Amino acid sequence: MKKKIVYCLILFCAIILQTSILPLISPMYATGDILLMFILVGAILDGFFAFFSWAIFAGIVYDLVSYTPVGVHALIFLLVVYFVSFFSRRFSVELRGIGLVLFLIFVIVATLLSRSVIVIMTTWNPQMLSFNWNVFGNFSVISVQIFSNMVLFFLTFIVLRKTKKFFSIE
């Protein structure tokens, strides 16, 4: 029960930061995605089966708050959780050595996956069977977003690990 309350508080704080504060301080329409990084860190620390339902819940709540079609972010978060669980079973995921490189790869792939799914869902034209990939962004916008997400990832990693230790959550 304690884990649910703590994770819900962290989730709602991340949603508030994502929807109100981060768009104000982000340059070039490259908003860092703290909620995506929370899902990524949760999947790394807790594992696939323990964080699967949290990813669905966070995606649905975030879709309702951000006025996007329900299920878009749930799909993104589930893909990220599955991707992380696939590689975390095969490699060491620690904050040293190859684990650090793996974390950076996770952030890059999660950012590109999130942008791709959002572009596909928002620009899909069923009559013409085409996408508008210009909405995806240029290299500078994507690189700023990846850098922002890396910073947010490590902040979220530290906060979630210390929170789990403080509340003795397993």
Side-chain angles (χ1 to χ4, degrees), residues 72-93:
V72 172
H73 285 94
L75 175 67
I76 293 169
F77 296 161
L78 286 177
L79 291 173
V80 167
V81 168
Y82 183 73
F83 175 74
V84 167
S85 72
F86 179 78
F87 284 103
S88 65
R89 282 190 236 141
R90 286 150 182 81
F91 298 107
S92 171
V93 283

Side-chain angles (χ1 to χ4, degrees), residues 22-70:
L22 286 179
L24 294 176
I25 61 173
S26 64
M28 298 189 303
Y29 306 109
T31 305
D33 200 348
I34 194 166
L35 196 58
L36 181 66
M37 296 303 111
F38 170 71
I39 298 299
L40 190 61
V41 169
I44 290 170
L45 294 178
D46 287 351
F48 177 74
F49 294 108
F51 214 74
F52 180 76
S53 58
W54 282 105
I56 295 171
F57 176 70
I60 291 172
V61 170
Y62 185 55
D63 285 336
L64 293 174
V65 169
S66 64
Y67 303 113
T68 56
V70 176

